[in-house]
Amino acid sequence: MRRRALIVGASRGLGLGLVARFLERGWDVTATVRKPSPALSDLAERGPLHIATGIDIDDDDAVLGFANACADGPDFDIVFVVAGVATQAGIPAGRVPRDVATAVFQTNALSPIRFAEALHGRVAQDGLIVLMSSKLGSVSLNRGGGWGSYRASKAALNTLARSFAGQHSGARWGVLLMHPGWVRTDLGGRRATLDVDTSARGMVAVVEARLGQRGCAFIDYTGATVPW
Ligand SMILES: NC(=O)c1ccc[n+]([C@@H]2O[C@H](COP(=O)([O-])OP(=O)(O)OC[C@H]3O[C@@H](n4cnc5c(N)ncnc54)[C@H](OP(=O)(O)O)[C@@H]3O)[C@@H](O)[C@H]2O)c1
């Protein structure tokens, strides 16, 4: 039987790349987007792809509606919440508008955990909930600062994910916080060192190898541990 992945935030960038790679690996993929994405729809010719539109992870009603719609379907081996933003990331925390920093926190930290809370009942035995973090969210690696509100939002995601894993310590699945590398996307910019395909190949290999492992880990697209 094909393994099943749910990719959340798949319209472009890393989410889109992950869908392509999971399909290439023979997985059955469900992908969520806020608005229709022609690039995502084009991937349907590569394998079994189910697309759910109108899923904004900041919208609790949309997320709960999606969770309810999944209730009668088979479980997912991987639920991968990829969606994230870096709005005005270059503006220092002392000057970034409060509502912008708050929105970044909502999307990058709170909403992925709420999504995981809503969907964890649909994760298969030995499955994984993967949340897209960033090395910038590592507190111990932060020497020079920069990208303050984004950094803080990913550090908050890591903390919330460890709490989530702790609160579900008897669960039949594990939790991974993933650093995808520095990748050329709208968010990563043109100077980034990796292309989407290289990062997505690495991440899919890493999560396939970690199926069945419980607990909570922070790792990168090569499988290396990232310090908290
Ligand atoms: N690129 C890097 O170097 C890098 C490094 C470390 C971590 N990351 C993380 O990787 C993830 C993906 O980033 P990316 O580089 O692929 O960025 P991207 O190209 O800007 O794509 C961001 C994706 O997130 C979706 N999204 C944003 N807010 C959303 C919301 N409220 N609800 C649902 N979907 C939402 C976007 O959908 P729309 O098309 O609808 O806007 C888009 O699909 C993010 O969590 C980012 O923090 C990236």
Side-chain angles (χ1 to χ4, degrees), residues 117-134:
E117 286 288 6
L119 264 293
H120 71 79
R122 299 270 57 80
V123 181
Q125 168 99 25
D126 293 332
L128 285 172
I129 295 175
V130 191
L131 305 171
M132 192 68 97
S133 184
S134 169

Side-chain angles (χ1 to χ4, degrees), residues 108-158:
N108 288 1
L110 201 55
S111 297
I113 292 298
R114 288 195 181 205
F115 197 95
E117 286 288 6
L119 264 293
H120 71 79
R122 299 270 57 80
V123 181
Q125 168 99 25
D126 293 332
L128 285 172
I129 295 175
V130 191
L131 305 171
M132 192 68 97
S133 184
S134 169
K135 209 170 175 175
L136 293 181
S138 166
V139 173
S140 57
L141 292 179
N142 184 2
R143 306 264 186 268
W147 278 46
S149 51
Y150 177 83
R151 232 181 235 283
S153 72
K154 294 294 188 180
L157 171 66
N158 291 358

Side-chain angles (χ1 to χ4, degrees), residues 11-12 14 34 56-58 82 132-133 150 154 181 183 185:
S11 61
R12 55 197 165 94
L14 288 166
R34 293 195 281 197
D56 185 325
I57 62 167
D58 298 331
V82 183
M132 192 68 97
S133 184
Y150 177 83
K154 294 294 188 180
V183 191
T185 63

